[in-house]
Amino acid sequence: MAADPVAIARDLICCRSVTPAEGGALAFLAHLLGSAGFAVERVTFSQAGTDDVENLYARIGSGAPHLMFAGHTDVVPSGDEKLWTHPPFAGEIADGKLYGRGAVDMKGAIACFAAAALDHLAKHGGRPKGSISFLITGDEEGIAVNGTPKLLPWAAERGEKFDHCVLGEPSNDAALGDMIKIGRRGSLNGTLIVTGRQGHVAYPQRADNPVRGIVSLISAVLTEPLDKGSAHFDPSNLEFTSVDVGNRTVNLIPAEARARFNIRYNDNHTLTSLQRLVETRLAAAAGDRVRWRVEFEPSNSDVFLTTSGPFVDLVAGVAARVTGRTPVLSTTGGTSDARFIKNYCPVVEFGLVGQLAHHVDEHVPIADLENLTAIYREVLAAYGV
Ligand SMILES: [Zn+2]
């Protein structure tokens, strides 16, 4: 009998695993996978000033190829539970849909991969030809310091080597099968600081108002696009998120103005070349009129692209066969744990449809859970694991 992804998803949704709480979700997975013959490790990571977070690593098989499924059991809070038609941690089914926090992001996909793996093992006498592993964190929706970034080096230290990874984040845009994420833009935060000279508003000639300077620099930086995009990426984009002077006095010209910005950048740039580009443009706009400096924050979100090739083709081909849609190979959206995994093995992101992630009444059609399980099952078969 085939494993039931809906039952597994319901059990997971009933665990209140709001970051950083484990909520019973990893214990449930550990039992499920352990009973199927996986060697299961539960690891807790800590760091001063952050909550301890539990994580799970499970592997079956010892040979190659080694396919890793990555995901997170933690979820964002439900918000006011009274706003939900079906309680967020009850796993209720209505009109062919499973309701609950994490249904699409991403307990549903974990349930589908677990069911697919159990089916695959049952078909092969309980043992894969290669190796299948689960790398599951409880710290993706939070600050993500005690999850994947520590779990990967921990696994590498034990000698774990992965050939490919499927990350089960909700990658599809509007319907199952319409999108696979094969890369992500980088993200860089910075602050532009313009210094002037404080003075009385009635005597501007005795002062130097940094507001004038920062306005001209902001405008100059926004005028010219950073690039035109690339084969797999949209154009890079710089957004100012805050402009601050912090001056509450009506007759005072302030001494300093600050503007914070975030850049989502593509593979035309590296972190360093992008910083140089921004500085060059600011310098040109400022000339010797405006005194400025820019402070970039350290970033752990560099741009990456999983080169198209047999593995991307395999996942895309299976998704197309099962759903009848041709998935777009996309690099849109925010960052994900793929930014850490890509340093260990090629990674593609394919899960459920993302539209309802983090929403009130988050839910997933039962049909999507069944089809995603079928896709994962076929990926395991085609991968030859
Ligand atoms: Zn997620």
Side-chain angles (χ1 to χ4, degrees), residues 13 114 142 173 229 282 340 344 356:
I13 288 172
D173 184 37
L282 286 168
F340 307 119
Y344 292 81
L356 292 174

Side-chain angles (χ1 to χ4, degrees), residues 72 105-106 140-141 169-170 358:
H72 62 89
D105 187 11
M106 56 164 280
E140 199 275 340
E141 301 288 9
E169 287 290 350
H358 299 199

Side-chain angles (χ1 to χ4, degrees), residues 29-104:
L29 267 187
H31 180 257
L32 179 77
L33 297 173
S35 315
F38 279 81
V40 184
E41 301 276 347
R42 292 184 57 189
V43 233
T44 303
F45 294 120
S46 332
Q47 188 166 310
T50 65
D51 295 305
D52 288 3
V53 175
E54 292 185 47
N55 300 274
L56 177 149
Y57 178 69
R59 174 175 178 164
I60 191 164
S62 51
H66 185 176
L67 183 65
M68 183 241 290
F69 174 83
H72 62 89
T73 47
D74 62 320
V75 293
V76 293
S78 61
D80 185 355
E81 297 199 11
K82 288 198 281 299
L83 296 176
W84 288 63
T85 318
H86 301 276
F89 299 102
E92 286 182 5
I93 294 174
D95 299 328
K97 298 173 191 125
L98 171 62
Y99 283 80
R101 176 57 84 225
V104 296

Side-chain angles (χ1 to χ4, degrees), residues 170-196:
S171 59
N172 296 282
D173 184 37
L176 189 70
D178 70 9
M179 192 176 279
I180 296 176
K181 301 262 166 102
I182 56 160
R184 293 279 187 160
R185 294 180 296 178
S187 172
L188 175 65
N189 288 306
T191 306
L192 168 65
I193 301 145
V194 170
T195 40

Side-chain angles (χ1 to χ4, degrees), residues 27-369:
F28 168 79
L29 267 187
H31 180 257
L32 179 77
L33 297 173
S35 315
F38 279 81
V40 184
E41 301 276 347
R42 292 184 57 189
V43 233
T44 303
F45 294 120
S46 332
Q47 188 166 310
T50 65
D51 295 305
D52 288 3
V53 175
E54 292 185 47
N55 300 274
L56 177 149
Y57 178 69
R59 174 175 178 164
I60 191 164
S62 51
H66 185 176
L67 183 65
M68 183 241 290
F69 174 83
H72 62 89
T73 47
D74 62 320
V75 293
V76 293
S78 61
D80 185 355
E81 297 199 11
K82 288 198 281 299
L83 296 176
W84 288 63
T85 318
H86 301 276
F89 299 102
E92 286 182 5
I93 294 174
D95 299 328
K97 298 173 191 125
L98 171 62
Y99 283 80
R101 176 57 84 225
V104 296
D105 187 11
M106 56 164 280
K107 289 173 168 176
I110 293 178
C112 294
F113 202 91
L118 298 188
D119 289 346
H120 186 79
L121 292 173
K123 216 174 144 189
H124 292 87
R127 225 34 219 170
K129 276 182 259 166
S131 306
I132 306 171
S133 60
F134 284 78
L135 190 116
I136 307 292
T137 169
D139 188 21
E140 199 275 340
E141 301 288 9
I143 49 173
V145 296
N146 289 321
T148 305
K150 287 197 173 74
L151 195 52
L152 284 162
W154 171 88
E157 191 120 309
R158 293 161 41 102
E160 297 295 325
K161 286 197 176 57
F162 310 106
D163 292 307
H164 289 95
C165 169
V166 175
L167 174 60
E169 287 290 350
S171 59
N172 296 282
D173 184 37
L176 189 70
D178 70 9
M179 192 176 279
I180 296 176
K181 301 262 166 102
I182 56 160
R184 293 279 187 160
R185 294 180 296 178
S187 172
L188 175 65
N189 288 306
T191 306
L192 168 65
I193 301 145
V194 170
T195 40
R197 200 169 69 251
Q198 203 184 64
H200 195 300
V201 283
Y203 302 94
Q205 70 280 11
R206 295 179 191 161
D208 173 13
N209 193 340
V211 174
R212 288 174 193 276
I214 207 160
V215 166
S216 69
L217 294 194
I218 288 175
S219 153
V221 167
L222 290 180
T223 305
E224 200 185 337
L226 291 164
D227 55 66
K228 295 195 174 74
S230 68
H232 289 284
F233 286 89
D234 290 336
S236 303
N237 182 56
L238 184 153
E239 283 299 316
F240 282 94
T241 52
S242 179
V243 179
D244 306 289
V245 176
N247 177 19
R248 301 180 138 266
T249 312
V250 292
N251 57 0
L252 183 80
I253 289 174
E256 185 182 274
R258 291 173 166 251
R260 300 196 65 200
F261 58 89
N262 175 269
I263 305 176
R264 294 298 161 114
Y265 63 96
N266 61 33
D267 55 354
N268 284 309
H269 312 272
T270 64
L271 264 179
T272 352
S273 75
L274 181 66
Q275 295 180 3
R276 272 203 306 273
L277 175 66
V278 171
E279 285 167 344
T280 308
R281 292 200 178 171
L282 286 168
D288 49 15
R289 295 174 302 111
V290 183
R291 270 186 297 156
W292 65 279
R293 65 179 197 280
V294 65
E295 289 171 0
F296 290 107
E297 290 168 27
S299 169
N300 61 6
S301 311
D302 202 1
V303 55
F304 77 94
L305 179 71
T306 300
T307 342
S308 319
F311 186 63
V312 173
D313 294 348
L314 184 155
V315 178
V318 168
R321 259 202 314 284
V322 173
T323 65
R325 295 183 185 89
T326 306
V328 173
L329 304 180
S330 166
T331 56
T332 55
T335 61
S336 74
D337 274 354
R339 72 186 191 269
F340 307 119
I341 299 168
K342 66 106 171 38
N343 296 328
Y344 292 81
C345 68
V347 50
V348 301
E349 296 177 57
F350 189 73
L352 292 160
V353 178
Q355 279 175 353
L356 292 174
H358 299 199
H359 283 237
V360 165
D361 275 341
E362 180 175 347
H363 64 265
V364 57
I366 300 294
D368 279 9
L369 291 173

